[in-house]
Short mmCIF file of all heavy atoms in Angstrom, two decimals:
data_model
loop_
_atom_site.label_atom_id
_atom_site.label_comp_id
_atom_site.label_asym_id
_atom_site.label_seq_id
_atom_site.Cartn_x
_atom_site.Cartn_y
_atom_site.Cartn_z
N MET V 469 2.27 -25.57 -14.12
CA MET V 469 3.54 -25.23 -14.60
C MET V 469 3.98 -23.84 -14.19
O MET V 469 4.19 -22.94 -15.05
CB MET V 469 3.59 -25.37 -16.17
CG MET V 469 3.43 -26.76 -16.62
SD MET V 469 3.75 -26.99 -18.41
CE MET V 469 2.17 -26.39 -19.05
N ARG V 470 4.15 -23.63 -12.88
CA ARG V 470 4.59 -22.36 -12.35
C ARG V 470 6.06 -22.08 -12.73
O ARG V 470 6.46 -20.96 -12.58
CB ARG V 470 4.38 -22.33 -10.83
CG ARG V 470 2.98 -22.34 -10.46
CD ARG V 470 2.84 -22.11 -8.94
NE ARG V 470 1.44 -22.02 -8.60
CZ ARG V 470 0.96 -21.81 -7.35
NH1 ARG V 470 1.79 -21.56 -6.42
NH2 ARG V 470 -0.24 -21.87 -7.12
N GLU V 471 6.76 -23.05 -13.13
CA GLU V 471 8.13 -22.83 -13.56
C GLU V 471 8.24 -21.97 -14.83
O GLU V 471 9.27 -21.37 -15.09
CB GLU V 471 8.90 -24.22 -13.88
CG GLU V 471 8.92 -25.13 -12.80
CD GLU V 471 7.74 -26.12 -12.89
OE1 GLU V 471 6.67 -25.89 -13.51
OE2 GLU V 471 7.93 -27.29 -12.33
N LEU V 472 7.12 -21.89 -15.51
CA LEU V 472 7.13 -21.06 -16.72
C LEU V 472 6.54 -19.64 -16.58
O LEU V 472 6.49 -18.88 -17.48
CB LEU V 472 6.30 -21.79 -17.85
CG LEU V 472 6.82 -23.18 -18.23
CD1 LEU V 472 5.94 -23.79 -19.26
CD2 LEU V 472 8.23 -23.13 -18.65
N VAL V 473 6.14 -19.33 -15.32
CA VAL V 473 5.62 -18.02 -14.93
C VAL V 473 6.88 -17.31 -14.29
O VAL V 473 7.40 -17.80 -13.27
CB VAL V 473 4.42 -18.10 -14.02
CG1 VAL V 473 3.98 -16.69 -13.58
CG2 VAL V 473 3.34 -18.87 -14.69
N PHE V 474 7.24 -16.14 -14.72
CA PHE V 474 8.35 -15.37 -14.17
C PHE V 474 7.89 -14.18 -13.49
O PHE V 474 7.03 -13.45 -13.94
CB PHE V 474 9.41 -15.10 -15.31
CG PHE V 474 10.15 -16.26 -15.72
CD1 PHE V 474 9.69 -17.14 -16.64
CD2 PHE V 474 11.46 -16.50 -15.21
CE1 PHE V 474 10.40 -18.23 -17.14
CE2 PHE V 474 12.18 -17.58 -15.60
CZ PHE V 474 11.65 -18.46 -16.58
N VAL V 475 8.61 -13.81 -12.38
CA VAL V 475 8.32 -12.61 -11.63
C VAL V 475 9.52 -11.65 -11.67
O VAL V 475 10.63 -12.13 -11.43
CB VAL V 475 7.88 -12.90 -10.14
CG1 VAL V 475 7.55 -11.58 -9.44
CG2 VAL V 475 6.76 -13.89 -10.10
N GLU V 476 9.27 -10.40 -12.07
CA GLU V 476 10.39 -9.49 -12.19
C GLU V 476 10.12 -8.32 -11.22
O GLU V 476 9.02 -7.73 -11.26
CB GLU V 476 10.53 -8.97 -13.60
CG GLU V 476 11.49 -7.94 -13.80
CD GLU V 476 11.49 -7.28 -15.22
OE1 GLU V 476 10.53 -7.38 -15.89
OE2 GLU V 476 12.57 -6.71 -15.61
N PHE V 477 11.09 -8.02 -10.41
CA PHE V 477 11.06 -6.82 -9.61
C PHE V 477 12.08 -5.80 -10.13
O PHE V 477 13.26 -6.05 -10.22
CB PHE V 477 11.56 -7.18 -8.11
CG PHE V 477 10.60 -8.22 -7.48
CD1 PHE V 477 10.89 -9.58 -7.70
CD2 PHE V 477 9.64 -7.82 -6.67
CE1 PHE V 477 10.13 -10.53 -7.02
CE2 PHE V 477 8.84 -8.74 -5.99
CZ PHE V 477 9.06 -10.08 -6.23
N ALA V 478 11.58 -4.66 -10.51
CA ALA V 478 12.51 -3.60 -11.04
C ALA V 478 12.38 -2.37 -10.20
O ALA V 478 11.22 -1.83 -10.02
CB ALA V 478 12.07 -3.28 -12.49
N VAL V 479 13.51 -1.96 -9.68
CA VAL V 479 13.54 -0.68 -8.92
C VAL V 479 13.92 0.42 -9.86
O VAL V 479 14.91 0.37 -10.56
CB VAL V 479 14.53 -0.75 -7.76
CG1 VAL V 479 14.60 0.54 -6.98
CG2 VAL V 479 14.29 -1.90 -6.83
N ARG V 480 12.95 1.37 -10.02
CA ARG V 480 13.12 2.41 -11.02
C ARG V 480 13.21 3.79 -10.34
O ARG V 480 12.76 3.99 -9.28
CB ARG V 480 11.97 2.36 -12.00
CG ARG V 480 11.89 1.13 -12.79
CD ARG V 480 10.80 1.21 -13.85
NE ARG V 480 10.84 0.06 -14.74
CZ ARG V 480 11.67 -0.11 -15.84
NH1 ARG V 480 12.47 0.88 -16.07
NH2 ARG V 480 11.67 -1.13 -16.49
N GLN V 481 13.78 4.64 -11.15
CA GLN V 481 13.85 6.19 -10.71
C GLN V 481 12.64 6.92 -11.21
O GLN V 481 12.25 6.74 -12.40
CB GLN V 481 15.21 6.75 -11.26
CG GLN V 481 15.31 8.17 -11.13
CD GLN V 481 15.68 8.65 -9.81
OE1 GLN V 481 15.89 7.79 -8.90
NE2 GLN V 481 15.64 9.93 -9.61
N GLU V 482 12.04 7.73 -10.41
CA GLU V 482 10.98 8.54 -10.78
C GLU V 482 11.33 9.43 -11.97
O GLU V 482 12.49 10.01 -11.96
CB GLU V 482 10.40 9.42 -9.74
CG GLU V 482 9.15 10.17 -10.13
CD GLU V 482 8.75 11.25 -9.24
OE1 GLU V 482 9.65 11.89 -8.62
OE2 GLU V 482 7.56 11.54 -9.12
N GLY V 483 10.55 9.59 -12.95
CA GLY V 483 10.88 10.39 -14.07
C GLY V 483 11.45 9.63 -15.29
O GLY V 483 11.52 10.12 -16.41
N ASP V 484 11.94 8.41 -15.06
CA ASP V 484 12.49 7.58 -16.09
C ASP V 484 11.31 6.98 -16.94
O ASP V 484 10.24 6.72 -16.33
CB ASP V 484 13.34 6.42 -15.59
CG ASP V 484 14.73 6.99 -15.05
OD1 ASP V 484 15.00 8.13 -15.26
OD2 ASP V 484 15.39 6.19 -14.45
N THR V 485 11.58 6.73 -18.19
CA THR V 485 10.51 6.17 -19.06
C THR V 485 10.70 4.62 -18.96
O THR V 485 11.67 4.11 -18.50
CB THR V 485 10.63 6.67 -20.49
OG1 THR V 485 11.87 6.22 -21.03
CG2 THR V 485 10.48 8.11 -20.54
N GLU V 486 9.78 3.87 -19.55
CA GLU V 486 9.83 2.40 -19.67
C GLU V 486 11.09 1.91 -20.35
O GLU V 486 11.59 0.91 -20.11
CB GLU V 486 8.64 1.83 -20.30
CG GLU V 486 7.38 1.74 -19.48
CD GLU V 486 7.56 0.66 -18.34
OE1 GLU V 486 8.11 -0.39 -18.63
OE2 GLU V 486 7.09 0.93 -17.24
N ASP V 487 11.55 2.76 -21.30
CA ASP V 487 12.73 2.38 -22.06
C ASP V 487 14.04 2.54 -21.34
O ASP V 487 15.02 1.97 -21.66
CB ASP V 487 12.84 3.19 -23.42
CG ASP V 487 11.63 2.89 -24.32
OD1 ASP V 487 11.10 1.77 -24.19
OD2 ASP V 487 11.28 3.75 -25.13
N ASP V 488 14.00 3.40 -20.27
CA ASP V 488 15.23 3.64 -19.48
C ASP V 488 15.52 2.34 -18.63
O ASP V 488 14.61 1.65 -18.18
CB ASP V 488 14.96 4.78 -18.59
CG ASP V 488 14.99 6.11 -19.28
OD1 ASP V 488 15.54 6.19 -20.38
OD2 ASP V 488 14.42 7.08 -18.82
N GLU V 489 16.79 2.11 -18.47
CA GLU V 489 17.21 1.00 -17.65
C GLU V 489 16.92 1.21 -16.18
O GLU V 489 17.06 2.28 -15.63
CB GLU V 489 18.73 0.90 -17.84
CG GLU V 489 19.34 -0.34 -17.48
CD GLU V 489 20.81 -0.42 -17.84
OE1 GLU V 489 21.15 -0.57 -19.07
OE2 GLU V 489 21.65 -0.29 -16.94
N PRO V 490 16.35 0.17 -15.53
CA PRO V 490 16.05 0.37 -14.06
C PRO V 490 17.29 0.47 -13.24
O PRO V 490 18.42 0.07 -13.70
CB PRO V 490 15.27 -0.93 -13.74
CG PRO V 490 15.64 -1.92 -14.86
CD PRO V 490 15.99 -1.12 -16.00
N LEU V 491 17.19 0.98 -12.07
CA LEU V 491 18.28 1.07 -11.16
C LEU V 491 18.85 -0.32 -10.77
O LEU V 491 20.03 -0.56 -10.74
CB LEU V 491 17.88 1.83 -9.90
CG LEU V 491 17.46 3.25 -9.99
CD1 LEU V 491 17.00 3.79 -8.65
CD2 LEU V 491 18.70 4.07 -10.49
N ALA V 492 17.88 -1.20 -10.56
CA ALA V 492 18.21 -2.60 -10.19
C ALA V 492 17.07 -3.53 -10.41
O ALA V 492 15.89 -3.10 -10.47
CB ALA V 492 18.57 -2.62 -8.65
N ILE V 493 17.29 -4.79 -10.65
CA ILE V 493 16.30 -5.79 -11.02
C ILE V 493 16.50 -7.10 -10.31
O ILE V 493 17.72 -7.38 -9.92
CB ILE V 493 16.17 -6.08 -12.52
CG1 ILE V 493 17.50 -6.50 -13.10
CG2 ILE V 493 15.75 -4.86 -13.28
CD1 ILE V 493 17.40 -7.05 -14.53
N TYR V 494 15.51 -7.82 -10.17
CA TYR V 494 15.59 -9.23 -9.72
C TYR V 494 14.49 -9.99 -10.49
O TYR V 494 13.33 -9.58 -10.46
CB TYR V 494 15.42 -9.36 -8.16
CG TYR V 494 15.45 -10.77 -7.76
CD1 TYR V 494 16.67 -11.42 -7.60
CD2 TYR V 494 14.32 -11.50 -7.41
CE1 TYR V 494 16.72 -12.76 -7.13
CE2 TYR V 494 14.31 -12.82 -6.95
CZ TYR V 494 15.61 -13.40 -6.86
OH TYR V 494 15.68 -14.68 -6.43
N CYS V 495 14.83 -11.04 -11.16
CA CYS V 495 13.85 -11.85 -11.89
C CYS V 495 14.06 -13.32 -11.65
O CYS V 495 15.20 -13.81 -11.55
CB CYS V 495 14.01 -11.56 -13.46
SG CYS V 495 12.73 -12.33 -14.45
N THR V 496 13.00 -14.02 -11.38
CA THR V 496 13.06 -15.44 -11.07
C THR V 496 11.70 -16.17 -11.51
O THR V 496 10.71 -15.53 -11.56
CB THR V 496 13.34 -15.56 -9.60
OG1 THR V 496 13.62 -16.94 -9.26
CG2 THR V 496 12.14 -15.16 -8.72
N PRO V 497 11.79 -17.49 -11.74
CA PRO V 497 10.50 -18.21 -11.90
C PRO V 497 9.72 -18.16 -10.59
O PRO V 497 10.20 -18.19 -9.50
CB PRO V 497 11.02 -19.63 -12.20
CG PRO V 497 12.47 -19.53 -12.59
CD PRO V 497 12.99 -18.31 -11.89
N LEU V 498 8.41 -18.15 -10.81
CA LEU V 498 7.54 -18.09 -9.71
C LEU V 498 7.73 -19.29 -8.76
O LEU V 498 7.58 -19.17 -7.55
CB LEU V 498 6.06 -18.12 -10.16
CG LEU V 498 4.92 -18.04 -9.12
CD1 LEU V 498 5.09 -16.83 -8.31
CD2 LEU V 498 3.61 -18.14 -9.73
N SER V 499 8.13 -20.44 -9.27
CA SER V 499 8.26 -21.66 -8.45
C SER V 499 9.47 -21.49 -7.56
O SER V 499 9.62 -22.23 -6.56
CB SER V 499 8.46 -22.84 -9.34
OG SER V 499 9.57 -22.78 -10.15
N CYS V 500 10.34 -20.58 -7.71
CA CYS V 500 11.51 -20.33 -6.86
C CYS V 500 11.22 -19.36 -5.76
O CYS V 500 12.03 -19.21 -4.84
CB CYS V 500 12.68 -19.77 -7.67
SG CYS V 500 13.36 -20.96 -8.78
N LEU V 501 10.08 -18.60 -5.87
CA LEU V 501 9.72 -17.68 -4.81
C LEU V 501 8.97 -18.44 -3.70
O LEU V 501 7.90 -18.89 -3.94
CB LEU V 501 8.90 -16.55 -5.37
CG LEU V 501 9.59 -15.46 -6.15
CD1 LEU V 501 8.59 -14.44 -6.67
CD2 LEU V 501 10.63 -14.79 -5.35
N GLU V 502 9.57 -18.48 -2.54
CA GLU V 502 8.87 -19.03 -1.40
C GLU V 502 8.02 -18.09 -0.72
O GLU V 502 8.38 -16.86 -0.66
CB GLU V 502 9.86 -19.75 -0.48
CG GLU V 502 10.67 -20.85 -1.07
CD GLU V 502 11.63 -21.48 -0.11
OE1 GLU V 502 11.32 -21.52 1.13
OE2 GLU V 502 12.68 -21.95 -0.57
#
Side-chain angles (χ1 to χ4, degrees):
M469 294 189 281
R470 290 188 182 184
E471 302 96 335
L472 302 179
V473 177
F474 286 82
V475 182
E476 177 186 21
F477 298 85
V479 180
R480 297 187 171 277
Q481 169 74 8
E482 186 197 29
D484 287 350
T485 64
E486 279 292 321
D487 296 334
D488 289 336
E489 198 173 284
L491 296 173
I493 59 172
Y494 180 78
C495 187
T496 189
L498 180 62
S499 61
C500 291
L501 284 177
E502 295 182 32

